[in-house]
Amino acid sequence: MARYVVIGAGIVGLATAHRLTLDHPDATVTVIDKEPRVAAHQTGHNSGVIHAGVYYKPGSLKATLCRAGSASMVAFAEQHGIPVETCGKLIVATSADELPRLDALFARATANGLPVRMLSGAAAREHEPHVAAVAAMHVASTGIVDYRAVCEVLASLIAAGGGRIMLGTAVTGFRDGVVETGAGDVPADFVINCAGLQSDRIARLAGIRTAARIVPFRGEYYELREDRRHLVKGLIYPVPDPRFPFLGVHLTRMIDGSVHAGPNAVLATAREGYSWGRFSARDLAEVAAFPGMWRLARRHLGYGLAEVRRSLSRPLFARGLARLVPEITEADLVPAEAGVRAQAILPSGELVDDFLIESRDGQVHVLNAPSPAATSSLEIAKHIVARLAAVSPN
């Protein structure tokens, strides 16, 4: 009887454990997480968007798993009574110089087989009456859901399938056939590392040499005051600039009816640093010693400084949002919970653009799974379990 240990009780780890209980009902499945609850980090601070797969290179894991995942996540939520809505979103060009980028994005979305339509500015305002747009792309298959609720259901399904979830338990080491933890040894024929912000550290602890290094970027959010939520009916995104690594601030109606604005993206002062006050000397020292971070910083210095300025200035943040919806002012914004993105970076300074999953005998390591990993999680789980069939046990 095979023994599977999944490290990480975020949505990718839980989805993988659930898939293992379905595909291998006679196996033992154990999930280990150092936090006292599931979905404590990236998943629990997620914007709740079910992405369609617009932005990703055709044929990449992100493109294929996101498109499949957007459908399977909606179906999973509906099956288990989790509130979900396929509301669609607008990606808007606010000036004529953004139109070529919007056209290129439309071509990519079409290549990915997505239901998208180009709209005039007037047609865009039929979807979002307060938006500023000279043109827009409507993405019909984008949705919203509560990923924490998804994780709670996954955890209950794992338990019902005979699996075990060990919370408040840190992994301390590995040896043949065993995962060492603060609560004792856990036998393991197969180890699946879905540790997110700590995934590269877990991989190194397990003896995996990987060039990629996790660098944490904090995504800072505001939300609109309740009396100003009417300004946004669904999701409004800017046309991304391909020269820069992030999408830019946008507006997202959440499943509870609130409207989140952001995220701003700045280097976090700790891997789990959800505010400027959360500081880790160890984490910052690792970033400072990594040549890839300095190369990335030099390449995007102006962009990074602009993000820091916006982080420290609510008027600047509001000005960025007003490009999309001119009626939004500083007074409309209320601080909201931030998130941290675990982004893998190569020594060259390039961001790892696709999901990065490495394997060796008895081990599969998910080393880059930022957005759209939550959307894609049920499909990532299938991908991981399929890869396990090709690796020998410990």
Side-chain angles (χ1 to χ4, degrees):
M1 182 171 63
R3 301 166 298 181
Y4 296 92
V5 173
V6 178
I7 300 169
I11 195 166
V12 173
L14 293 173
T16 301
H18 174 49
R19 175 50 53 183
L20 286 166
T21 64
L22 293 176
D23 290 359
H24 302 284
D26 295 331
T28 64
V29 178
T30 304
V31 181
I32 302 173
D33 197 289
K34 65 182 177 61
E35 301 298 342
R37 65 188 187 280
V38 301
H41 289 295
Q42 288 186 102
T43 307
H45 297 81
N46 193 286
S47 65
V49 176
I50 301 175
H51 293 283
V54 168
Y55 306 102
Y56 317 120
K57 182 180 178 181
S60 65
L61 277 178
K62 278 189 176 182
T64 56
L65 298 183
C66 183
R67 182 184 175 189
S70 65
S72 60
M73 183 55 67
V74 170
F76 182 89
E78 290 176 344
Q79 179 184 355
H80 295 285
I82 302 168
V84 64
E85 181 183 350
T86 304
C87 55
K89 79 173 178 182
L90 286 182
I91 300 174
V92 302
T94 59
S95 61
D97 62 343
E98 293 179 338
L99 292 176
R101 299 207 309 267
L102 185 63
D103 289 337
L105 196 61
F106 178 79
R108 172 162 283 194
T110 302
N112 283 331
L114 301 178
V116 294
R117 291 185 300 126
M118 291 292 281
L119 304 175
S120 67
R125 284 183 286 278
E126 292 178 9
H127 290 271
E128 293 285 353
H130 301 275
V131 77
V134 297
M137 181 169 70
H138 183 254
V139 187
S141 54
T142 300
I144 50 176
V145 74
D146 182 345
Y147 285 118
R148 290 181 184 176
V150 172
C151 286
E152 289 166 3
V153 170
L154 285 169
S156 67
L157 292 172
I158 291 165
R164 176 174 61 145
I165 300 178
M166 299 174 61
L167 299 176
T169 304
V171 172
T172 58
F174 297 86
R175 64 179 192 273
D176 288 347
V178 167
V179 177
E180 300 169 341
T181 81
D185 293 347
V186 180
D189 300 306
F190 298 93
V191 174
I192 304 96
N193 168 17
C194 301
L197 287 158
Q198 308 296 336
S199 58
D200 60 334
R201 288 176 173 168
I202 292 293
R204 292 196 296 272
L205 196 62
I208 298 291
R209 291 182 175 271
T210 177
R213 180 70 57 87
I214 292 295
V215 174
F217 290 91
R218 185 170 62 252
E220 299 170 329
Y221 287 89
Y222 287 90
E223 62 179 72
L224 296 188
R225 286 189 347 236
E226 188 171 355
D227 63 334
R228 301 291 277 172
R229 291 177 181 174
H230 67 278
L231 295 176
V232 180
K233 294 176 64 179
L235 283 70
I236 305 174
Y237 281 55
V239 180
D241 188 330
R243 295 175 299 168
F244 303 127
F246 300 105
L247 293 179
V249 294
H250 44 269
L251 294 152
T252 303
R253 180 171 290 278
M254 309 286 279
I255 200 68
D256 64 0
S258 62
V259 176
H260 276 211
N264 197 53
V266 295
L267 179 67
T269 49
R271 288 211 182 194
E272 297 164 5
Y274 298 100
S275 69
W276 284 107
R278 183 77 178 269
F279 177 89
S280 167
R282 176 196 177 190
D283 294 350
L284 284 176
E286 280 193 1
V287 170
F290 181 51
M293 185 60 214
W294 291 103
R295 293 182 178 116
L296 176 72
R298 282 196 296 271
R299 190 173 298 139
H300 299 297
L301 180 61
Y303 179 89
L305 291 175
E307 291 292 290
V308 171
R309 287 194 295 269
R310 190 161 57 191
S311 170
L312 300 174
S313 170
R314 192 180 304 192
L316 283 178
F317 204 108
R319 197 177 305 164
L321 296 168
R323 290 184 63 248
L324 303 173
V325 177
E327 293 170 63
I328 291 177
T329 68
E330 177 188 356
D332 298 327
L333 303 181
V334 179
E337 187 178 66
V340 177
R341 174 189 178 114
Q343 175 63 56
I345 297 177
L346 297 173
S348 64
E350 298 292 331
L351 276 65
V352 177
D353 190 48
D354 206 355
F355 297 142
L356 177 61
I357 302 173
E358 297 185 6
S359 56
R360 56 179 278 184
D361 286 351
Q363 301 178 15
V364 173
H365 295 267
V366 181
L367 297 172
N368 191 59
S371 181
T375 299
S376 312
S377 55
L378 299 174
E379 305 304 317
I380 294 173
K382 294 175 185 176
H383 181 81
I384 290 170
V385 173
R387 289 186 69 152
L388 282 168
V391 300
S392 302
N394 284 315

